[in-house]
Amino acid sequence: MKVGVVVFPGSNCDRDMYHVLTDVFHLNAEYYWHEKGLPENIDAVILPGGFSYGDRLRAGVIAAHSPIIKDVQKIAEKGIPVLGVCNGFQILVESGLLPGVLLKNESLNFMCEWTNLIVENNKTPFTNQFQLNEKIPIPIANGEGRYYVDDETMKKLKEKNQIVFRYSEVVNGSTNRIAGVCNEDGNVVGMMPHPERAVESDINPIDNKPSSLIFESLLTQMGVAK
């Protein structure tokens, strides 16, 4: 199984993600620079966190026009799993692969803290090993993480079961406490918290197993033995 980790100027969680994929879950992962293309035989793509292009103009908006995004869009149309974490989520939204927008946190401050997610959809390639309403202790680290949609889009998200994660409490003012969503087909998932920072017991002071299930779900989706 080959997983691509897309790297943009300003990405800073790409190595963390690569470490988790290769050293923790023993997957064949490769970095792909944003100016290059993705291979046709790729099995999953991850857009990691960071500050692509220094968050100029708006977080993720410049990276959303990088050459590699056309390949990500084609891969998504084929049903191949795509995960965007933090800045990766912002890029997926700005590129039109996911609905909504990420705004500045309600506090107008950068937030770096532990929180809890609630699993709202366990049918995606990244949540199929969870129970509904399962709690995930996980860190956030963002300044523009407040998810927003209008009432009409929110209605569609609920109808299509596109809300994947919610915060267990109000964190940054996100609409309906939404922390992650998926596309209508369910194969493209974006989330603001950082699972790659929570899967190892050495750096997770609470419980690393729930975050691990995000990656174990991907293994199950692809038929790879854990």
Side-chain angles (χ1 to χ4, degrees):
M1 177 179 174
K2 180 182 291 185
V3 182
V5 178
V6 180
V7 183
F8 301 91
S11 295
N12 66 7
C13 299
D14 46 324
R15 294 188 180 185
D16 296 349
M17 186 65 73
Y18 181 88
H19 159 68
V20 167
L21 292 170
T22 58
D23 296 330
V24 179
F25 293 99
H26 309 293
L27 290 169
N28 175 19
E30 291 187 29
Y31 295 115
Y32 292 93
W33 185 239
H34 73 114
E35 293 178 333
K36 307 294 184 181
L38 291 169
E40 292 185 0
N41 63 337
I42 203 160
D43 298 296
V45 175
I46 297 181
L47 282 65
F51 301 91
S52 58
Y53 293 94
D55 281 352
R56 296 297 179 90
L57 301 181
R58 188 170 62 245
V61 68
I62 299 178
H65 293 85
S66 291
I68 202 169
I69 295 300
K70 290 183 178 179
D71 283 352
V72 175
Q73 291 170 332
K74 291 177 182 177
I75 283 170
E77 290 172 0
K78 294 179 181 178
I80 294 172
V82 177
L83 175 66
V85 174
C86 198
N87 189 225
F89 184 14
Q90 294 163 336
I91 294 168
L92 290 177
V93 165
E94 293 290 348
S95 64
L97 282 165
L98 290 175
V101 65
L102 279 307
L103 305 174
K104 288 185 179 296
N105 294 330
E106 200 168 52
S107 65
L108 302 182
N109 294 321
F110 185 89
M111 302 181 70
C112 185
E113 60 189 60
W114 284 82
T115 187
N116 288 297
L117 297 185
I118 304 299
V119 178
E120 298 284 340
N121 177 348
N122 64 352
K123 304 298 184 183
T124 80
F126 302 97
T127 58
N128 60 58
Q129 292 301 293
F130 287 99
Q131 298 295 319
L132 283 177
N133 299 315
E134 189 167 348
K135 185 178 291 187
I136 309 173
I138 197 167
I140 58 170
N142 62 73
E144 297 180 41
R146 178 164 60 98
Y147 185 77
Y148 174 81
V149 291
D150 59 24
D151 292 341
E152 182 179 350
T153 305
M154 174 58 66
K155 182 180 179 181
K156 292 179 180 178
L157 291 180
K158 291 179 178 179
E159 290 176 350
K160 302 290 186 178
N161 195 28
Q162 289 179 253
I163 300 172
V164 180
F165 301 112
R166 293 185 197 267
Y167 298 108
S168 62
E169 58 186 7
V170 175
V171 170
N172 56 11
S174 290
T175 303
N176 276 30
R177 306 196 316 274
I178 291 174
V181 299
C182 65
N183 63 345
E184 289 190 16
D185 292 333
N187 64 302
V188 179
V189 174
M191 60 187 300
M192 284 310 298
H194 287 267
E196 77 282 4
R197 300 183 186 179
V199 302
E200 296 173 278
S201 58
D202 289 345
I203 58 174
N204 188 326
I206 306 168
D207 182 5
N208 65 303
K209 180 60 177 176
S211 285
S212 297
L213 292 179
I214 291 174
F215 298 95
E216 290 182 17
S217 292
L218 178 60
L219 293 176
T220 300
Q221 176 74 20
M222 305 311 299
V224 179
K226 295 190 285 287

